[in-house]
Amino acid sequence: MKRKMTLRISIFLFFYLFTAFFLLGIAARVITGFIDSGEIYLLQGELVKSAKMSFVAGALGTLVSFILNKIDEYNARKKPPTDSDK
């Protein structure tokens, strides 16, 4: 049985994606800064920029997940279940 995409699941998914992309963005900035200049530093502007990009990525990921879930629900109602014994 598939779980329906509820508001609670959507909120958890958004925060999970936001956190994952934020940490990935910070790690990428630290690694590229270290390779480029040999120093590790983060400016406040870089953190804000990474947070903005993470917000957009999390929101779009949640939206895509919601849309694909609705498509699956529509297809499940449209087609009868098939018998796998054949």
Side-chain angles (χ1 to χ4, degrees):
M1 179 179 160
K2 286 188 160 184
R3 294 190 74 163
K4 282 184 90 173
M5 185 84 162
T6 62
L7 181 62
R8 182 178 178 197
I9 292 173
S10 297
I11 291 171
F12 285 146
L13 178 63
F14 170 75
F15 282 121
Y16 174 78
L17 289 175
F18 174 80
T19 304
F21 283 119
F22 182 73
L23 293 176
L24 183 65
I26 295 300
R29 289 184 187 279
V30 167
I31 291 170
T32 55
F34 183 73
I35 290 172
D36 187 38
S37 65
E39 298 177 358
I40 296 176
Y41 64 92
L42 283 173
L43 300 175
Q44 184 178 3
E46 291 177 348
L47 292 175
V48 171
K49 188 175 183 179
S50 189
K52 287 179 183 178
M53 292 189 304
S54 300
F55 179 83
V56 171
L60 289 177
T62 304
L63 180 65
V64 167
S65 175
F66 180 77
I67 290 171
L68 291 176
N69 189 312
K70 291 301 174 187
I71 291 172
D72 285 345
E73 286 179 9
Y74 174 75
N75 287 338
R77 279 185 281 140
K78 187 175 162 185
K79 299 176 188 173
T82 58
D83 216 9
S84 61
D85 294 336
K86 292 182 179 181

